């Protein structure tokens, strides 16, 4: 039987999500990869246990995480039942709908029909009565935003979710969504954007909107899917995400990118960190970032990413050096 480490709250840092009552761990764990039906169940279980033992109270899912679609939620549901039910009230569990999930016109994008049916399916797969956060996974250009936000509001009002979130909305869309949700009486808790040293789009207005509106941010792929680590410095390991050549493509690991990774790896070493640790610390340097949402394929990566918290401070000189590397100088 799993008994959580009684020191689990000793060293994790928690940050408030915007102007809300919810604090999230500075590092959260996402189940996009390595928790599907094709993956090793005991490895998935060990990573979740280790994460919780280190104070990671937030696990992030979506309807179509797997493969196959839905299976990460099923895996999570089984592990929850075996290990985490006594700790349910210590956990923030999120899921999302917005990408392709089932065939036909009601299994994708942002209709009320799709979003609420998907949430019901997610709850069933995970064996939960409610999720803590339900996200619209991406904006739907053809559905009125009032309809998609209305579905989030219904999810909360009906007790299937405690809070509403959005993902991949740009700054302008975010301002609009936040207003609609506020008018409906269900404030937007959090936004989930992609953000890392390699992908800095949220700096172009999104983080400003979130700060002004009092909405938190949980930034995904802070390691750029593993590129911002020492994983690819000596080629492409056979057990790596790039080896699968699907979400992270082999062609994305060219010499120009590797030169930057090597230079960043050196700066990380001077800070006494691995590059993965520095990549996590770098997104957390901005107080508008509530949590760094990492993925892992092995327990040691959970430990390494959490070790980032030992040094979150960057000098102006270090930040300038990093910017120079990223600019290819
Ligand atoms: N809202 C959205 O649209 C959206 C989109 C994508 C992701 N997400 C969320 O964000 C989460 C994280 O995304 P991500 O998996 O792309 O994040 P990431 O943290 O940038 O990449 C995770 C990968 O990096 C490698 N890695 C992790 N820690 C490492 C370490 N300490 N040293 C060396 N390599 C390390 C592993 O790759 P290997 O597998 O090669 O070992 C791991 O699978 C997802 O699970 C999901 O919850 C949301």
């Amino acid at each position: 039987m799993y008994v959580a480490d009684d020191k689990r709250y000793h060293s994790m840092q928690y940050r408030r999500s915007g102007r809300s009552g919810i604090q999230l761990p500075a590092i959260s764990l996402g189940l996009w990869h390595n928790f599907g039906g094709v993956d090793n169940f005991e490895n998935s279980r060990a990573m979740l246990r280790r994460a919780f033992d280190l104070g990671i109270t937030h696990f992030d899912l979506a309807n179509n995480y797997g493969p196959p679609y839905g299976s990460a939620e099923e895996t999570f549901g089984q592990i929850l039942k075996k290990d985490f039910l006594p700790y349910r009230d210590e956990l923030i569990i999120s899921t999302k709908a917005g990408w392709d999930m089932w065939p036909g016109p009601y299994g994708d994008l942002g209709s009320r029909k799709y979003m609420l049916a998907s949430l019901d399916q997610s709850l069933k797969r995970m064996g939960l009565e409610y999720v803590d956060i339900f996200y619209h996974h991406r904006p739907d250009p053809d559905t009125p935003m009032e309809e998609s936000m209305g579905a989030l509001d219904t999810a909360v009002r009906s007790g299937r979710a405690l809070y509403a979130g959005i993902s991949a909305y740009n700054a302008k869309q975010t301002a609009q969504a936040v207003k609609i949700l506020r008018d409906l009486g269900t404030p937007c808790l959090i936004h989930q954007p992609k953000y890392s040293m390699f992908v800095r789009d949220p700096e172009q207005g999104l983080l400003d909107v979130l700060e002004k509106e009092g909405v938190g941010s949980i930034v995904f792929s802070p390691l750029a899917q593993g590129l911002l680590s020492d994983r690819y410095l000596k080629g492409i390991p056979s057990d790596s995400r790039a080896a699968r050549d699907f979400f992270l493509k082999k062609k994305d690991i060219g010499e120009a990118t590797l030169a930057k990774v090597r230079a960043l790896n050196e700066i990380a070493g001077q800070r006494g960190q691995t590059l993965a640790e520095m990549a996590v610390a770098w997104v957390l340097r901005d107080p508008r970032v509530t949590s760094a949402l990492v993925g892992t394929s092995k327990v040691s990566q959970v430990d390494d990413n959490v070790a980032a918290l030992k040094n979150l401070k960057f000098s102006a000189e270090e930040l300038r050096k990093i910017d120079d590397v990223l600019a290819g100088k």
Side-chain angles (χ1 to χ4, degrees):
M1 194 184 90
Y2 168 67
V3 177
D5 190 333
D6 55 12
K7 295 194 198 67
R8 62 189 175 281
Y9 293 115
H10 286 195
S11 55
M12 176 54 66
Q13 300 170 23
Y14 296 88
R15 293 180 172 200
R16 189 164 298 274
S17 183
R19 289 192 289 274
S20 78
I22 284 295
Q23 295 177 60
L24 291 180
I27 293 162
S28 300
L29 182 64
L31 280 70
W32 179 30
H33 288 258
N34 309 309
F35 293 84
V38 300
D39 297 302
N40 180 309
F41 179 84
E42 286 305 330
N43 185 49
S44 305
R45 188 180 186 187
M47 290 190 285
L48 286 169
R49 285 177 168 200
R50 184 66 186 145
F52 189 59
D53 281 343
L54 290 172
I56 295 182
T57 50
H58 178 29
F59 301 137
D60 179 73
L61 293 110
N63 55 357
N64 64 359
Y65 290 175
Y69 285 3
S71 63
E73 289 182 329
E74 284 167 1
T75 299
F76 181 73
Q78 288 173 44
I79 296 170
L80 183 78
K81 204 165 155 203
K82 286 177 194 284
D83 294 340
F84 290 108
L85 275 189
Y87 307 102
R88 173 66 184 97
D89 293 336
E90 295 182 43
L91 289 172
I92 298 288
I93 302 165
S94 59
T95 194
K96 322 182 187 81
W99 286 94
D100 54 308
M101 184 59 199
W102 63 83
Y106 320 117
D108 198 357
L109 290 158
S111 70
R112 176 179 183 82
K113 165 90 174 157
Y114 165 52
M115 290 173 64
L116 291 173
S118 177
L119 177 55
D120 286 339
Q121 293 183 15
S122 291
L123 292 175
K124 216 176 264 172
R125 283 191 289 266
M126 291 191 277
L128 287 172
E129 284 171 12
Y130 69 92
V131 287
D132 297 276
I133 308 171
F134 183 48
Y135 285 93
H136 191 210
H137 211 155
R138 60 165 167 170
D140 173 355
D142 299 320
T143 295
M145 206 185 278
E146 286 76 7
E147 179 169 337
S148 305
M149 295 307 104
L152 292 183
D153 175 60
T154 299
V156 171
R157 280 180 198 280
S158 62
R160 289 129 136 167
L162 300 185
Y163 296 93
I166 54 176
S167 179
Y169 279 58
N170 66 27
K172 195 168 158 219
Q173 292 162 330
T174 297
Q176 203 186 337
V178 166
K179 176 163 185 343
I180 297 170
L181 282 170
R182 187 175 293 137
D183 290 348
L184 287 167
T186 295
C188 182
L189 175 76
I190 198 157
H191 188 301
Q192 191 174 124
K194 189 196 276 194
Y195 185 47
S196 70
M197 283 188 274
F198 280 165
V199 179
R200 299 180 66 167
D201 307 344
E203 293 171 5
Q204 307 304 317
L206 177 66
L207 288 168
D208 293 332
V209 170
L210 296 177
E211 184 177 31
K212 177 166 165 265
E213 301 291 350
V215 175
S217 74
I218 175 162
V219 303
F220 72 81
S221 301
L223 306 183
Q225 298 199 56
L227 266 181
L228 287 166
S229 74
D230 55 11
R231 200 109 167 82
Y232 297 105
L233 286 178
K234 295 192 184 107
I236 298 181
S238 60
D239 64 345
S240 65
R241 191 176 297 183
R244 276 169 258 151
D245 206 17
F246 193 63
F247 285 103
L248 181 59
K249 301 259 193 293
K250 286 181 182 161
K251 69 170 172 48
D252 296 333
I253 312 185
E255 191 35 51
T257 301
L258 280 175
K260 289 183 185 178
V261 172
R262 273 193 290 270
L264 293 171
N265 195 45
E266 229 165 82
I267 299 173
Q270 287 156 12
R271 287 169 49 81
Q273 289 186 311
T274 66
L275 176 50
E277 287 166 15
M278 184 174 88
V280 170
W282 185 88
V283 297
L284 289 170
R285 84 203 180 288
D286 189 325
R288 296 171 299 183
V289 171
T290 314
S291 187
L293 178 51
V294 302
T296 56
S297 67
K298 35 180 93 57
V299 170
S300 60
Q301 292 177 349
V302 178
D303 285 277
D304 189 15
N305 296 336
V306 171
L309 298 177
K310 289 186 198 147
N311 183 10
L312 293 184
K313 287 222 168 73
F314 287 84
S315 68
E317 171 71 5
E318 282 170 336
L319 290 174
R320 191 192 52 74
K321 273 199 214 161
I322 290 170
D323 284 345
D324 283 352
V325 169
L326 297 175
K329 285 187 197 162

